[in-house]
Amino acid sequence: MTATQERPADEVEREIGRDRRRKEDQRLITGRTRWTDNITLPGMLHLAMVRSPFAHATITRIDTSAAKESPNVVAVYTGSDFGAELGAIINAWPITPDQVTPAHSPMPSDRVAFAGEIVAVVVARSAAEARDAAELVDVDYDELPAALDLKKSAADEVLAHPDLGTNKSALWVFNSGEAGTGGNVDDAIAKARTDGIVIEREYRQQRLIPAFMEPRSVVVDPTGEQYTMWSATQIPHIVRFALAATTGVPESKIRVIAPDVGGGFGGKLQVTPEEWIAWAVGRRLGKPVKYTETRSESLMSAHHGRDQWQKLTLSAEKDGTVTGLKVELLADLGAYVAIVGGGVPVLGAFMFNAIYKFPAYHFQVQTVLTNKAWTDAYRGAGRPEATYAIERLMSELAAEVGVDPLEIREKNWIKHEEFPFTTVAGLEYDSGNYEAATAKAKEMFGYDELRAEQKRRRDAGDPVQLGIGISTFTEMCGLAPSRVLGQLDYGAGGWEHAEVRMLATGTVEVITGASAHGQGHETAFSQIVADRLGVPFESVEVLHGDTQISHKGLDTYGSRSLVVGGEALVRAADKVIEKAKPIAAHLLEASVDDLEFSGGRFSVRGTDQGMAITEIATAVFAAHNLPDGVEPSIDSEATFDPVNFNYPHGTHLCAMEVDTETGAVKMRKYVCVDDIGNIVNPLIVSGQVHGGLVQGIAQALWEEAVYDDSGTLVSGSFVDYLLPTAADTISFEIEHTTTPSLTNSLGTKGVGEAGTIASTPAVVGAVVDAVRHLGVTDIQMPCTPERVYRAIHGSGAGGSTEGAAMPHFESGGATGNQEQPGTSSTEGAGA
C-alpha cells in the first residue's frame, strides 16, 4: 500500500493520542531549515541600529557625516528623515476609554524614553560594516530625570513622558458586587475582621525577559509588484495588517512570511520598531534590506514581561472557608503601551479567584509608564501573576488556620460534580476534576512521607530543611471568543481560519492561520486531519506562516493554536467529507442516505461497495463524471470562533531543600498532574510541559531583569541574566488526568503555558514552607541564596522594597493598605 492509498477501516490506527515524532525536527536538527537571518537576496543591504544609552533624554543633535563616509555605507537615516513615512507602533488593546497612550514612533527624532531606543539606522553592504559605521554616529543628548521605580512612578514623582502630565496610563476595575457575579468584597472583609480571618500580603512579580533562542530578524524586499517581509515573528497576519494601517500601503500589496521561528514565548508577539524601520529603508532605497539583532540588543530592547506589585486581601471564616478576595495591582508598562501590553494584567483579572468558590471579588490594576523597556505578553500573560498570588495566599490561609495546605484548597475548590461552574469573575468553567488530579499527584509525590520527613528535620534542628510547595491551578486559554474580546475593547477577534485541499495524487494540503514557533503544529495538525479524513499521516502537508498562502489568520499566542486553530481544521475537514458525499454517491450509484464514511472510505451500507476519499479527489480533478450542478472541487475552508475560553488545570507539587546556614536551595522532587483534556500527541505535550516548568522555575529561582539608578539594564547579557541549563534542573515526573473540554469537538485544552503558570508558586511556596517555622512568610523572587539567607536571618523578605508603600487609587470603594512587601496582617478570631 502506497502512502497515498486509503487505510482499510479494520487497519486504521487513530493518530490522535499517538506519540509522533515531530515532522519539523528533521530539518531543524540537521540545519536544513531557513531562519530569517539565513535569507540572502540579490543586492541586499544590511542595517545597524544606533540606540540611546540614556533612559530618558532629549536629542539635541545627530551628526551622521562620519558614518556616511565609512566604507561601503549606502545611507544613514534618522527619524526626521522619514517623518510620517515610518508609520507608528500600534496599541491594539486600550483597556479603558481614557487610557493615556504615548505616541510611539519607531525612531523618535526629539526624545528617547528608554535605554535602547533607536535614534538612527545605518545602511551598508555588509552587517559588519553597518555595525562599524553605527559607532561613528555622534548623538548629543540632554539627559532628563528617569521614572524607574514603579511605585514612585505611580505617584508621578518623575514623569516618563513630561508632555502627558502623568505616568498613570489606565485604571481597570472589576467588582463582583457591581457586575452581579457576587457580593460586596468590602462587606466580606469587614465581617471577617470581627468574626473570621483576614490575610493581607504584598508580592512582587519581577521583570523578566523572554530570551528566545533565535534573535529577532527581519528582511524586506520592496522590489516587484508587492512588498515582501520575512520576520522572526509570532504574528505575520497582524504585522501585515498593522503595516497597512500605519503606512498607507494597501494590505493586498504586503506579504509577510514567518519562516521557521526559533522560539517566542510571547516575546515575538509584537509589531517592532525594527520591522517598521527596515520597511521604510527598503521602500526608500528600492532594495532588499536585512536587520538581525545582537543578543544584547534583544535583551535590552525586545519587550519584557511581568513587572508588577500585587497587594491581596483575603477574608475567610474561622474554619478557612473563603468569603472574599480583593486584588490591587501596579503594572509597569515600560516606556510605551505595547500591542497588548496594557491588557496583560486584565487577562489575569479573571484568574485570581482560580479554582476557588469566592463569594465576593474585587480587582483593580493601575498601569504605569516608566522609562524602561516596554512590557507585553510573556508565556502565560497575566495568568502566572494571578496563579502565583492566589496559590501563595491559600497556603498562608492554611498556615493561619493550622491545617495542611491541601486541606484548605479542597475545602474551597469547585467540586467535579459542580461543573459547568460560573465563577465570581463571570467566567464559565466548562469541565474539570481537581480532586482526581490532586489525588494522583499526591500519590506520585509521596506526599505523606515527605511531610513526615519534613517534621523529622524540623524536630532535629537539621540545618538543611525540607519544604513542600503546592500549586492547584487553572487558567483561561485559547485566546477568544471574539465577542468577549470585543467587550474588553480588544482590537481584534479571536477566531482562526483553516483550509483543507484534496490533491489529485491523494495527498492533502492543510493551510492554517496559526503560525508556529516551535510548538509542533505541522505534526499535531497532520494527526488531526489524518484521523478525520482517514488518510495516512505522511500524506498530510501543513502550510503556515505566509500571508499569501494562508490569507486569513490571527496567528499564535495564548495557547490558542490547537483549541481554536485545530477546531477550524476539524470543521474544514468535515466540510470536505460532506462535499465529497454526493460525488461518492453518484460514482457508486447509490443514495447519499445509504453512504457511510469511516477510515477514509465511503461505503454503501449493507454492501462491500465503496471508494476512498482520495479516489474521489482524483475523480474530481478529472471531472469526467460528476453529478449535474456539482462543482469540481471538494476543497473546503472554515473559520472557528469559540463561544468560551477553555480551562486546563492541574496539581503541581514541589519539594525543596533549603540550607539555613547559607541560603542555598536545591530541588528535591517535582511532580505535576495536568488536565489538558484529550491529548493529540503525548510526546509533544511532554515537551511543552517540561519547557514550561523550566521557565516557571527560572522565575522562582534565577531570572530577573535589573536596571541601575540611571536606567541602564545591568542584566543585559547571559552572564548577568541567569537562564537555567539542563544541569540546573532535575527530572520531572509528569502525568495527566482527562476531563474533555466542552468548547471544541476534539475535547482539547491548551498546554503551552500550563507549566509556566503552575510551577512558580509551587517552587517559591516550597522554599517558604521550608523556613516558615523560622518566621519567614515571603521571599522575593528570584529566591537567590542571598535573599533566602536574609529572610532567615532577620533582614525582611529577602528583597528590595523598591519604593514606598502601594499608592491608593480611587476605584469605587477599594481601600489602600500601607504595607511593605513581605509583611502581613492577620486579624479576627482566627489570628
Side-chain angles (χ1 to χ4, degrees):
M1 184 173 69
T2 67
T4 58
Q5 290 175 322
E6 77 281 4
R7 298 175 292 174
D10 58 352
E11 295 181 13
V12 170
E13 180 182 357
R14 280 183 57 82
E15 283 293 336
I16 291 178
R18 289 186 66 182
D19 281 333
R20 277 284 191 183
R21 291 188 177 184
R22 301 194 320 174
K23 288 184 173 183
E24 303 90 327
D25 288 350
Q26 178 66 26
R27 67 177 186 270
L28 292 172
I29 64 179
T30 59
R32 297 178 183 275
T33 190
R34 201 179 192 203
W35 310 109
T36 302
D37 191 48
N38 295 144
I39 295 168
T40 300
L41 302 176
M44 187 171 71
L45 303 172
H46 297 262
L47 310 184
M49 306 299 171
V50 180
R51 298 179 183 273
S52 168
F54 297 106
H56 196 197
T58 56
I59 304 168
T60 59
R61 183 183 68 93
I62 302 179
D63 184 355
T64 62
S65 57
K68 288 178 178 177
E69 294 172 2
S70 190
N72 285 319
V73 168
V74 174
V76 182
Y77 297 113
T78 66
S80 58
D81 292 321
F82 287 110
E85 186 182 348
L86 262 179
I89 305 301
I90 65 170
N91 166 235
W93 194 351
I95 61 174
T96 63
D98 59 350
Q99 174 177 288
V100 175
T101 308
H104 190 180
S105 169
M107 188 161 52
S109 56
D110 56 349
R111 184 177 60 87
V112 293
F114 70 97
E117 190 158 19
I118 301 166
V119 297
V121 56
V122 175
V123 190
R125 300 196 184 280
S126 73
E129 288 166 327
R131 287 194 294 269
D132 287 345
E135 297 289 333
L136 302 177
V137 176
D138 187 15
V139 186
D140 288 342
Y141 300 89
D142 280 344
E143 191 172 4
L144 299 170
L148 300 170
D149 181 292
L150 176 53
K151 290 185 177 179
K152 291 179 179 178
S153 297
D156 287 335
E157 292 189 16
V158 177
L159 295 180
H161 297 273
D163 57 308
L164 298 179
T166 182
N167 293 325
K168 301 180 189 70
S169 179
L171 178 66
W172 193 92
V173 180
F174 177 88
N175 188 320
S176 65
E178 295 178 359
T181 58
N184 185 290
V185 77
D186 290 326
D187 292 343
I189 293 170
K191 183 176 186 300
R193 290 194 190 279
T194 60
D195 189 29
I197 300 171
V198 174
I199 306 285
E200 295 177 303
R201 293 290 187 271
E202 187 170 334
Y203 297 125
R204 179 73 168 113
Q205 286 281 329
Q206 77 268 41
R207 180 174 279 248
L208 301 174
I209 301 175
F212 29 73
M213 185 177 292
E214 177 207 18
R216 296 175 304 164
S217 182
V218 57
V219 172
V220 174
D221 184 3
T223 62
E225 293 295 318
Q226 87 184 149
Y227 296 89
T228 301
M229 174 186 284
W230 292 262
S231 182
T233 182
Q234 296 175 221
I235 51 169
H237 294 89
I238 294 172
V239 167
R240 179 181 65 172
F241 168 81
L243 276 169
T246 65
T247 66
V249 176
E251 196 170 350
S252 61
K253 295 294 186 182
I254 301 171
R255 179 184 186 184
V256 177
I257 302 170
D260 282 320
V261 176
F265 314 119
K268 291 173 181 171
L269 194 171
Q270 201 59 255
V271 291
T272 71
E274 292 84 357
E275 288 168 329
W276 264 229
I277 292 168
W279 168 277
V281 170
R283 189 178 182 188
R284 174 71 62 91
L285 296 175
K287 294 184 178 181
V289 299
K290 178 196 287 186
Y291 168 76
T292 301
E293 68 185 0
T294 65
R295 181 59 67 181
S296 61
E297 284 181 298
S298 178
L299 295 176
M300 178 171 57
S301 60
H303 81 245
H304 296 171
R306 310 289 195 266
D307 207 343
Q308 291 182 1
W309 280 103
Q310 306 172 309
K311 180 184 179 300
L312 292 96
T313 305
L314 181 148
S315 62
E317 297 175 1
K318 295 176 185 178
D319 67 353
T321 302
V322 296
T323 60
L325 179 65
K326 176 183 285 188
V327 179
E328 299 168 275
L329 303 185
L330 289 180
D332 191 341
L333 298 178
Y336 299 102
V337 188
I339 188 168
V340 295
V344 166
V346 173
L347 289 174
F350 300 99
M351 286 287 103
F352 276 89
N353 53 285
I355 66 173
Y356 307 113
K357 293 183 285 188
F358 281 98
Y361 174 55
H362 180 102
F363 171 93
Q364 68 177 51
V365 58
Q366 176 68 62
T367 57
V368 180
L369 297 163
T370 62
N371 293 117
K372 292 184 279 189
W374 30 327
T375 61
D376 207 325
Y378 172 58
R379 197 170 190 172
R383 284 75 51 79
E385 297 93 312
T387 301
Y388 177 83
I390 189 59
E391 287 304 291
R392 292 290 315 282
L393 204 60
M394 293 301 287
S395 292
E396 294 298 304
L397 177 61
E400 183 63 26
V401 176
V403 299
D404 187 273
L406 280 176
E407 182 181 331
I408 209 73
R409 287 166 167 82
E410 184 175 5
K411 176 185 284 291
N412 289 288
W413 69 33
I414 304 158
K415 305 299 190 290
H416 72 274
E417 64 269 14
E418 296 177 290
F419 288 94
F421 184 90
T422 300
T423 74
V424 71
L427 296 182
E428 183 181 271
Y429 294 176
D430 61 328
S431 67
N433 191 328
Y434 310 137
E435 301 98 310
T438 302
K440 183 176 252 187
K442 190 176 177 181
E443 180 183 359
M444 292 169 58
F445 192 65
Y447 187 85
D448 294 336
E449 293 83 354
L450 285 168
R451 281 293 185 202
E453 180 185 342
Q454 179 186 51
K455 185 177 185 306
R456 290 195 299 271
R457 289 196 186 195
R458 286 186 178 179
D459 292 345
D462 193 325
V464 179
Q465 290 290 310
L466 179 68
I468 297 172
I470 299 166
S471 178
T472 49
F473 85 105
T474 190
E475 61 148 327
M476 54 183 281
C477 65
L479 192 60
S482 298
R483 288 185 180 181
V484 174
L485 295 177
Q487 291 168 2
L488 294 172
D489 297 315
Y490 182 69
W495 51 264
E496 193 49 78
H497 186 75
E499 186 175 349
V500 176
R501 300 173 183 168
M502 301 297 296
L503 305 183
T505 54
T507 55
V508 183
E509 276 186 348
V510 169
I511 297 90
T512 173
S515 179
H517 46 280
Q519 296 90 337
H521 287 181
E522 294 174 32
T523 304
F525 288 169
S526 292
Q527 290 178 266
I528 291 170
V529 172
D531 260 5
R532 213 70 180 185
L533 296 180
V535 298
F537 169 80
E538 296 79 9
S539 296
V540 183
E541 184 77 14
V542 179
L543 306 177
H544 61 88
D546 183 338
T547 62
Q548 191 149 294
I549 293 173
S550 169
H551 65 285
K552 289 177 65 177
L554 285 174
D555 307 318
T556 297
Y557 39 85
S559 297
R560 68 188 303 275
S561 296
L562 178 60
V563 297
V564 186
E567 180 65 16
L569 273 178
V570 167
R571 296 185 177 211
D574 287 348
K575 287 182 179 180
V576 167
I577 296 168
E578 287 303 308
K579 288 179 72 172
K581 188 177 289 185
I583 301 173
H586 176 77
L587 294 174
L588 291 169
E589 299 181 344
S591 167
V592 168
D593 295 335
D594 290 334
L595 289 188
E596 296 175 336
F597 182 78
S598 178
R601 186 176 180 83
F602 286 100
S603 59
V604 181
R605 191 179 294 109
T607 75
D608 59 358
Q609 287 184 287
M611 63 189 307
I613 195 167
T614 51
E615 294 177 292
I616 295 171
T618 303
V620 167
F621 173 75
H624 294 161
N625 183 18
L626 299 181
D628 293 340
V630 172
E631 64 176 345
S633 172
I634 57 174
D635 297 347
S636 298
E637 57 185 286
T639 302
F640 175 60
D641 194 351
V643 296
N644 194 2
F645 301 98
N646 70 89
Y647 303 94
H649 69 83
T651 297
H652 289 225
L653 301 174
C654 176
M656 297 289 294
E657 292 182 336
V658 178
D659 189 328
T660 61
E661 296 178 344
T662 66
V665 300
K666 180 181 179 182
M667 187 172 291
R668 165 87 169 269
K669 191 170 188 178
Y670 197 104
V671 164
C672 65
V673 176
D674 291 316
D675 186 330
I676 57 169
N678 294 329
I679 295 174
V680 172
N681 187 317
L683 190 63
I684 290 177
V685 165
S686 295
Q688 288 278 357
V689 172
H690 283 172
L693 290 177
V694 172
Q695 280 189 285
I697 293 166
Q699 176 176 8
L701 299 180
W702 298 295
E703 293 187 36
E704 183 175 23
V706 179
Y707 286 86
D708 65 16
D709 291 341
S710 66
T712 299
L713 182 68
V714 297
S715 53
S717 75
F718 287 155
V719 173
D720 300 296
Y721 189 82
L722 302 182
L723 291 177
T725 67
D728 298 306
T729 61
I730 64 171
S731 293
F732 311 119
E733 297 178 39
I734 70 171
E735 260 297 347
H736 303 279
T737 55
T738 301
T739 54
S741 171
L742 305 180
T743 65
N744 62 82
S745 65
L746 292 168
T748 58
K749 303 176 184 178
V751 69
E753 297 159 304
T756 302
I757 291 169
S759 58
T760 309
V763 174
V764 176
V767 174
V768 172
D769 185 61
V771 293
R772 182 180 292 279
H773 64 295
L774 302 177
V776 177
T777 60
D778 188 36
I779 299 169
Q780 189 171 306
M781 296 185 290
C783 296
T784 62
E786 179 184 1
R787 286 180 173 172
V788 175
Y789 181 89
R790 288 181 180 275
I792 295 170
H793 295 280
S795 299
S800 166
T801 60
E802 192 184 307
M806 185 84 86
H808 165 55
F809 301 99
E810 294 296 335
S811 60
T815 58
N817 182 51
Q818 305 300 303
E819 291 187 333
Q820 295 299 318
T823 65
S824 65
S825 170
T826 54
E827 303 181 42

